[in-house]
Amino acid sequence: MRRVVITGFGVVSPVGEGKDDFFKNICRGHSGISLLDYFDTSGFPSKIAGTLKNFDPEKYISKKQVKRMDEFSHYAMAAGMLAYDDSRLGDASLNMDRAGVLVGSGIGGIKTIEQEVRKYAENEEKKKGFGFSRISPFLIPKLITNIASGEIAIKFGFRGPNFCIVTACATASHSIGEAFRIIRDDDADLFLAGGSESAISELGFGGFCALRAVSTDYNDAPEKASRPFDAKRDGFVMAEGAGVLVVEELEHALKRNAPIYAEIVGYGLSDDASHITAPAPKGEGAARSIRMSLNKAGLQPEEVDYINAHGTATVMNDHFETEAIKSVYGEHAYRLAVSSIKSMTGHMLGAAGAVEAGATLMMMQNDIIAPTTNYENPDPNCDLDYVPNKARKQKIKVATSHSFGFGGHNACLVFKAFEG
């Protein structure tokens, strides 16, 4: 088996743009949640979100490119370019036929769809008709979810495997895991892999409000709203952004003297086959993905030091994720450190898995665990060590990162400190 490592991390998020600001802020417990000002929220039960503050896409791409892309592609391009630079790929001599891109999105270009439908409705109201001549020529290439991978490949000239996974909140973790498998099987040498999301529009935000999935009790204290594992949690906080990792074959990375964060040694995936939005009872489906990832890594549960939890702050998810952890790890579950950075970033949907995997890698490199903030009221159904409220100095040799999505999609990644 070819060994696979992570050599770069790029992120744009509500708590920071670029890995250094991002990591500094999550270790400080800084919240990126605030009152939502993208549109009038007076008719919405939730009025808060994790948005990107002062993001300027023209730092990364031209004005012409900005116009032809939806925002989720802006974010993907930014994170991809930051990861590329972090891995020092610009200094490398690459076989472009063996360099791939696998960047997905849970929702894709919903803002573009909303804008075009609004234009249609306005024209109908004015009795001007619609017709194809009024449709933006960029409509289709802006909204299709696979376009972010395509745009990144065009930017860097990567001609290897290129596709798009859409598995809701598990999207980015599945993208990283599949990149790992393709490299391991000798069909590519490296990937830019991850996810991007920009779905905070009236339609996207309203849809999650209609599902009653988002927090509504903390509109007056946005930074307190995302409360993973806390007894007073009342739903997730919708967020946006992107995360991209450079996933690379070990010898390829060593030959170019690339920085190595950690080795990816396991990947597990499963489906609940239970409910379209609710997790399977007792986290049974999630547990199967975790067990698979450890089996593929050749590790015993007792060897794991830290879990980056999915931890959405919904009542059922946090309860059943805790049950899944206890099912897999037994008594060792109570010795594990478990934290959810969604307490600070909010839930970045299809981008979450990559942002959280990147956070896990930086924790491993810096011997520090970012906390679960807003953990104030213990829940008897959630009784593990969630690293409450303050970062913790701790060496991490083996870590896992969980992602679970609507449709019952589950993914777990296993990272191990690189030892040569």
Side-chain angles (χ1 to χ4, degrees):
M1 289 289 188
R2 284 159 40 106
R3 294 170 67 186
V4 182
V5 293
I6 309 299
T7 62
F9 173 40
V11 58
V12 291
S13 80
V15 296
E17 184 175 327
K19 64 171 189 173
D20 294 330
D21 280 348
F22 164 78
F23 189 62
K24 176 184 69 177
N25 284 328
I26 63 170
C27 289
R28 288 172 50 207
H30 174 74
S31 175
I33 312 304
S34 60
L35 286 171
L36 179 56
D37 59 4
Y38 285 1
F39 47 83
D40 180 5
T41 61
S42 58
F44 294 80
S46 180
K47 305 177 189 305
I48 56 177
T51 58
L52 269 60
K53 316 296 191 296
N54 304 313
F55 176 78
D56 179 7
E58 290 184 39
K59 283 174 56 180
Y60 303 96
I61 54 180
S62 70
K63 187 175 292 188
K64 183 177 179 181
Q65 289 173 309
V66 169
K67 190 174 180 180
R68 80 174 189 220
M69 296 181 197
D70 186 272
E71 268 190 358
F72 89 96
S73 291
H74 297 168
Y75 299 162
M77 287 292 288
M81 293 170 72
L82 289 166
Y84 183 95
D85 290 344
D86 187 43
S87 186
R88 302 201 292 264
L89 286 170
D91 299 330
S93 178
L94 303 176
N95 180 348
M96 296 304 194
D97 293 345
R98 292 180 61 83
V101 185
L102 219 174
V103 175
S105 178
I107 296 175
I110 193 169
K111 286 188 175 179
T112 293
I113 296 171
E114 187 172 317
Q115 289 163 4
E116 291 298 311
V117 171
R118 199 183 298 275
K119 187 197 303 181
Y120 169 80
E122 288 170 354
N123 279 299
E124 282 293 295
E125 188 177 343
K126 293 173 183 177
K127 303 299 182 185
K128 290 185 177 181
F130 194 58
F132 79 90
S133 64
R134 296 182 186 274
I135 301 172
S136 167
F138 297 117
L139 170 62
I140 300 302
K142 283 177 75 172
L143 72 87
I144 53 177
T145 310
N146 63 294
I147 201 67
S149 270
E151 291 278 14
I152 292 170
I154 291 167
K155 168 67 179 176
F156 296 117
F158 286 7
R159 299 187 298 264
N162 188 307
F163 59 104
C164 166
I165 290 172
V166 180
T167 48
C169 309
T171 293
S173 289
H174 278 140
S175 298
I176 295 163
E178 293 304 318
F180 160 62
R181 293 210 290 195
I182 292 168
I183 293 169
R184 186 192 61 188
D185 292 346
D186 201 14
D187 290 324
D189 293 327
L190 69 91
F191 270 90
L192 291 171
S196 182
E197 206 75 83
S198 177
I200 305 177
S201 68
E202 290 178 76
L203 187 62
F205 189 74
F208 282 109
C209 286
L211 267 177
R212 299 183 180 179
V214 294
S215 173
T216 58
D217 290 349
Y218 298 90
N219 289 329
D220 294 332
E223 71 284 352
K224 293 287 188 180
S226 187
R227 312 177 67 83
F229 306 106
D230 184 83
K232 292 188 177 181
R233 65 192 183 275
D234 75 317
F236 73 82
V237 176
M238 196 170 174
E240 62 185 357
V244 174
L245 303 184
V246 178
V247 187
E248 187 170 358
E249 192 272 327
L250 173 60
E251 293 303 319
H252 189 274
L254 292 175
K255 283 178 183 176
R256 66 181 191 86
N257 197 30
I260 294 176
Y261 283 88
E263 185 172 2
I264 178 169
V265 293
Y267 166 49
L269 62 169
S270 68
D271 195 84
D272 291 350
S274 175
H275 190 274
I276 57 172
T277 56
K282 297 187 177 181
E284 186 274 334
R288 282 188 287 110
S289 71
I290 299 166
R291 286 193 187 95
M292 179 189 290
S293 71
L294 295 176
N295 288 338
K296 291 292 184 181
L299 294 171
Q300 295 300 313
E302 294 76 17
E303 295 179 83
V304 177
D305 303 304
Y306 168 68
I307 294 172
N308 191 302
H310 188 53
T312 59
T314 58
V315 173
M316 282 195 294
N317 177 87
D318 293 2
H319 177 195
F320 291 149
E321 183 171 14
T322 299
E323 290 297 308
I325 292 169
K326 290 193 283 191
S327 170
V328 173
Y329 291 94
E331 285 301 312
H332 184 60
Y334 294 96
R335 294 187 289 272
L336 281 164
V338 180
S339 71
S340 171
I341 69 166
K342 288 185 180 73
S343 57
M344 296 165 280
T345 65
H347 193 349
M348 298 167 69
L349 308 177
V355 173
E356 291 160 16
T360 303
L361 295 166
M362 295 198 72
M363 293 182 215
M364 294 176 75
Q365 279 216 327
N366 291 277
D367 297 332
I368 188 167
I369 297 175
T372 303
T373 59
N374 299 319
Y375 185 84
E376 297 167 342
N377 308 281
D379 179 348
N381 289 321
C382 300
D383 57 350
L384 302 179
D385 174 8
Y386 302 111
V387 192
N389 301 313
K390 291 184 178 179
R392 178 184 300 168
K393 289 291 291 182
Q394 181 176 321
K395 190 168 185 62
I396 306 169
K397 185 175 180 181
V398 176
T400 66
S401 186
H402 296 172
S403 296
F404 313 130
F406 284 178
H409 305 294
N410 305 304
C412 182
L413 302 169
V414 184
F415 301 105
K416 188 175 183 180
F418 178 64
E419 296 176 340

